[in-house]
């Protein structure tokens, strides 16, 4: 079956049919996915409900080395592991597959993901894509919203482009978790020391993009308050309603997004009532498979 790609939003995002991640990744498949990602930045590969964790890991590794989930003490190591150790568990389930408790550190940590962000910008090794596969979805709520920061850059005035292009930004996991309401973030300070990233990046399509989001804490060389005001304005302008693609999950959806030129956020659902099981592979730009944190 030839690949069929349909655009989902006037600005970006598309869905792909005819791609089966259970099969070996051929050059044709790799090129089709890479081309679609360069153009649309968010790609929904439909009908992958039969895929196992091993299938998802193998498919992801065809596009680059993996960022491996760190152990930050948010679960007991002696409990059975519910998902593949190379995948991030994006669910409301505990290690035994039961609904999580509302007061767990993992739940509090996840609240920060309801702010627009780009995955792992607080790591020193750049992140290429995220691949999130839906196993169990909620009947209502739980959409993931995306914005295209290439379009956000394009919409800037010439004077604003001139202002932001040379700037660098300090990204911090601690900063975003505190904005999400989490306190006692010492463990994150040690595992994820702040890193400096450019405010403007060139995407795979050759278009310039803003590299912003909730992890972006301060602008290098600017007064802290002024820098945060600038960053907040850029995020606010980029995420106007007409710029948002809101993805309503279906079982078997594999959603891929380019962290270098998009932001995304989780939306609320009945966390203590409805089961939700999504699993994420995260791909680095270069290097080898490695844990996405420094030893603590």
């Amino acid at each position: 079956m030839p690949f069929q790609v349909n655009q989902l939003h006037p600005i970006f995002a598309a869905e792909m049919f005819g791609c089966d991640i259970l099969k070996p990744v051929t050059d044709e498949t790799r090129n089709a996915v890479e081309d679609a990602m360069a153009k649309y930045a968010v790609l929904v590969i439909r009908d992958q409900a039969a895929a196992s964790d091993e299938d998802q890991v193998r498919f992801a590794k065809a596009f680059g080395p993996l960022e491996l989930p760190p152990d930050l003490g948010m679960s007991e190591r002696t409990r059975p592991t519910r998902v593949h150790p190379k995948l991030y568990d994006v669910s409301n389930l505990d290690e035994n597959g039961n609904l999580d408790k509302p007061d767990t550190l993992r739940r509090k940590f996840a609240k920060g993901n309801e702010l627009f962000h780009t995955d792992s910008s607080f790591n020193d090794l750049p992140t290429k894509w995220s691949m999130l596969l839906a196993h169990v979805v909620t009947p209502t709520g739980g959409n993931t919203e995306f914005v295209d920061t290439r379009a956000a850059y394009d919409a800037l005035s010439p004077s604003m482009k001139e202002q932001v292009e040379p700037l660098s930004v300090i990204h911090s996991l601690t900063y975003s978790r505190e904005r999400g309401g989490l306190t006692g973030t010492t463990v994150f300070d040690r595992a994820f020391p702040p890193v400096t990233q450019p405010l403007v990046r060139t995407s795979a399509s050759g278009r310039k993009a803003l590299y912003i989001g909730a992890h972006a804490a301060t602008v290098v060389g600017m007064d802290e308050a002024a820098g945060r005001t600038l960053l907040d304005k850029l995020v606010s302008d980029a995420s106007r309603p007409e710029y948002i693609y809101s993805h309503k999950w279906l079982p078997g959806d594999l959603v891929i997004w380019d962290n270098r030129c998009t932001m995304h956020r989780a939306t609320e659902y009945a966390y203590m009532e409805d089961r939700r099981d999504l699993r994420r592979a995260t791909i680095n730009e270069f290097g080898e498979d490695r844990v996405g944190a420094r030893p603590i």
Side-chain angles (χ1 to χ4, degrees):
M1 177 180 176
F3 300 113
Q4 178 183 344
V5 178
N6 305 317
Q7 191 160 344
L8 295 170
H9 185 275
I11 297 174
F12 71 123
E15 61 183 353
M16 173 180 280
F17 295 92
C19 181
D20 184 352
I21 74 169
L22 275 68
K23 297 179 179 179
V25 179
T26 63
D27 288 343
E28 180 185 14
T29 299
R30 186 182 297 104
N31 291 337
V33 172
E34 290 275 10
D35 290 348
M37 286 296 294
K39 182 175 182 180
Y40 298 108
V42 175
L43 184 65
V44 183
I45 300 180
R46 302 287 191 183
D47 304 325
Q48 305 303 312
S52 66
D53 285 359
E54 290 75 15
D55 293 322
Q56 184 178 358
V57 169
R58 176 180 48 77
F59 183 77
K61 282 182 66 64
F63 298 93
L66 299 187
E67 176 190 285
L68 308 181
D71 185 342
L72 295 178
M74 288 187 283
S75 62
E76 296 178 20
R77 297 186 186 190
T78 56
R79 292 181 179 176
T81 301
R82 200 178 62 83
V83 304
H84 195 289
K86 292 186 177 182
L87 297 178
Y88 285 80
D89 183 358
V90 185
S91 76
N92 63 340
L93 307 176
D94 65 18
E95 289 82 355
N96 299 302
N98 302 314
L99 283 170
D100 213 352
K101 297 180 176 60
D103 58 349
T104 61
L105 178 57
R106 193 164 74 101
R107 168 57 177 159
K108 295 175 182 177
F109 181 91
K111 287 297 291 182
N113 293 332
E114 295 175 11
L115 301 170
F116 272 115
H117 63 284
T118 182
D119 287 337
S120 300
S121 66
F122 47 80
N123 279 334
D124 54 357
L125 186 64
T127 302
K128 178 182 177 182
W129 297 349
S130 292
M131 292 186 174
L132 189 59
L133 177 59
H135 292 265
V136 179
V137 301
T138 58
T140 58
N143 285 18
T144 302
E145 296 184 339
F146 298 90
V147 297
D148 185 339
T149 61
R150 301 171 303 181
Y153 175 85
D154 290 345
L156 297 178
S157 67
S159 60
M160 182 60 80
K161 289 178 180 176
E162 184 177 0
Q163 177 185 352
V164 301
E165 282 192 13
L167 297 179
S168 297
V169 177
I170 295 174
H171 288 241
S172 164
L173 178 62
T174 297
Y175 177 68
S176 66
R177 295 310 97 171
E178 290 176 347
R179 290 189 66 182
L182 183 63
T183 58
T185 56
T186 304
V187 64
F188 307 136
D189 289 334
R190 297 199 304 271
F192 301 96
V195 298
T196 301
Q197 307 283 11
L199 181 49
V200 178
R201 295 194 55 162
T202 300
S203 68
S205 65
R207 296 170 61 190
K208 291 183 177 180
L210 296 174
Y211 198 50
I212 52 177
H215 305 312
T218 58
V219 178
V220 176
M222 288 186 67
D223 172 79
E224 184 173 305
R228 289 184 176 176
T229 296
L230 173 62
L231 293 170
D232 288 345
K233 175 175 172 51
L234 292 173
V235 171
S236 177
D237 289 348
S239 56
R240 294 196 296 268
E242 63 269 26
Y243 288 169
I244 294 175
Y245 166 64
S246 184
H247 183 70
K248 173 63 177 175
W249 289 93
L250 298 174
D253 281 351
L254 176 68
V255 180
I256 311 173
W257 61 89
D258 191 328
N259 286 302
R260 302 164 297 184
C261 62
T262 65
M263 292 188 296
H264 64 283
R265 68 179 175 191
T267 61
E268 292 186 345
Y269 62 97
Y271 188 88
M272 295 308 302
E273 300 173 15
D274 296 331
R275 292 170 59 87
R276 187 176 191 261
D277 186 357
L278 284 74
R279 305 175 189 187
R280 190 186 91 214
T282 304
I283 304 171
N284 286 319
E285 277 188 317
F286 49 78
E288 300 177 351
D289 291 0
R290 73 168 205 175
V291 175
R294 302 180 191 183
I296 58 175

